[in-house]
Amino acid sequence: MAAEGALTTSGYIIHHLTNLTFGKLPEGFVRYDGSVVGEGGTWTIAHGNEASTMGFWALNLDTMLFSVGLGLFFIWLFHKAAVKATSGVPGSLQNFVETIIEFVDENVKSSFHSRNELVAPLALTIFVWVWLMNLMDLVPIDWVPYLATQLGVPYLKIVPTTDVNATMGMALSVFALIIYYSLAVKGPKEFIAELTLQPLGKYMVPANLFLEGVNLLAKPVSLGLRLFGNMYAGEMIFILIALLPFWIQWVLSVPWAIFHILIITLQAFIFMVLTIVYMSMAHESH
């Protein structure tokens, strides 16, 4: 794939880091093939750097396809385990699912000290779903994009967590829950007091609001950008290894893939634990 067509080294890297984006190009825009977008603009698949002109409503189709697909696979797998669960000798699938559930349950019990029936299912969903999306990074870098190009699909990124839109979307969803439970459990008065009266007291409200505001907004950033940065960097290393001569690719890619299994699991674990901790903070009164 590295030698596919007339792709240069930089072109190969850019191709593998570009999402399959669907959006609207503005009227008068000159496309990659020299054609000009007509009156009213047009909805189309982006080529090259066209995605940057499509605005907020552009949709990364590959991110949606693989993230939703893996989410449905997670639901199907755990539902299958639940349906076939037995109190006798459990099968391998039941053992696997029970191990994951017990692992998540222990982390929830150790970090979350209030009562909320949403937290444990949320933590389980985050851990398994993020892990499955990260796991796609172990698929050889050229296999799926090559098949896609044979079907006329110009770009295809199969690791949803290398798309900042996916990681920040999950992070902002957790952040919305944090704000909701902060207001629901503590009440607006106490929540505002936390933002304005600590850590420096009532005479330093502007400074308190600045410090606590930064602390609050750092939560979704720490969730989304940490996951994105680690997975994007891992994907970049796989791409760079694919550019090396064939005889050395396996020498480097196999050890990196083995090490990357740890990164994949660790990033899913960190996202889950931070979610539990932040939800716990939202339930605690000062």
Side-chain angles (χ1 to χ4, degrees), residues 2-231:
E4 175 194 348
L7 280 181
T8 62
T9 297
S10 61
Y12 176 81
I13 295 173
I14 292 172
H15 179 272
H16 278 64
L17 295 178
T18 302
N19 286 99
L20 180 65
T21 305
F22 179 79
K24 185 177 183 180
L25 290 173
E27 178 181 338
F29 181 82
V30 180
R31 300 206 63 192
Y32 72 102
D33 58 359
S35 61
V36 180
V37 176
E39 183 179 354
T42 184
W43 290 88
T44 185
I45 299 292
H47 288 258
N49 62 354
E50 292 178 346
S52 60
T53 66
M54 288 181 168
F56 178 79
W57 294 111
L59 182 67
N60 290 340
L61 299 178
D62 43 11
T63 297
M64 293 297 296
L65 171 66
F66 287 103
S67 60
V68 173
L70 290 168
L72 293 175
F73 173 74
F74 159 59
I75 294 172
W76 170 81
L77 185 66
F78 275 61
H79 178 264
K80 181 180 179 181
V83 169
K84 294 187 175 182
T86 175
S87 57
V89 180
S92 56
L93 177 60
Q94 184 177 338
N95 270 327
F96 174 70
V97 170
E98 286 181 351
T99 300
I100 294 177
I101 292 175
E102 288 174 4
F103 170 73
V104 172
D105 187 57
E106 288 175 3
N107 279 276
V108 171
K109 288 179 178 177
S110 64
S111 301
F112 187 80
H113 306 297
S114 301
R115 183 174 180 81
N116 188 328
E117 295 180 352
L118 174 69
V119 175
L122 175 65
L124 176 66
T125 301
I126 286 175
F127 178 73
V128 178
W129 194 27
V130 171
W131 187 81
L132 286 173
M133 288 190 285
N134 291 350
L135 187 66
M136 298 299 289
D137 211 9
L138 297 183
V139 177
I141 193 71
D142 289 331
W143 285 7
V144 179
Y146 176 76
L147 292 174
T149 56
Q150 301 307 300
L151 298 174
V153 179
Y155 309 101
L156 196 67
K157 284 179 65 178
I158 67 171
V159 189
T161 45
T162 59
D163 183 358
V164 70
N165 296 286
T167 60
M168 286 305 299
M170 291 187 292
L172 290 173
S173 298
V174 172
F175 184 63
L177 289 174
I178 293 170
I179 297 299
Y180 171 79
Y181 283 108
S182 293
L183 292 170
V185 175
K186 303 173 184 178
K189 183 177 180 180
E190 183 176 343
F191 180 58
I192 293 173
E194 285 184 2
L195 295 178
T196 57
L197 301 180
Q198 62 177 13
L200 303 176
K202 62 181 180 180
Y203 298 109
M204 298 291 288
V205 170
N208 292 335
L209 184 59
F210 174 76
L211 293 172
E212 290 300 313
V214 170
N215 181 53
L216 184 65
L217 295 177
K219 292 176 180 177
V221 174
S222 67
L223 284 172
L225 292 188
R226 177 186 285 107
L227 177 59
F228 163 73
N230 280 276
M231 298 311 301

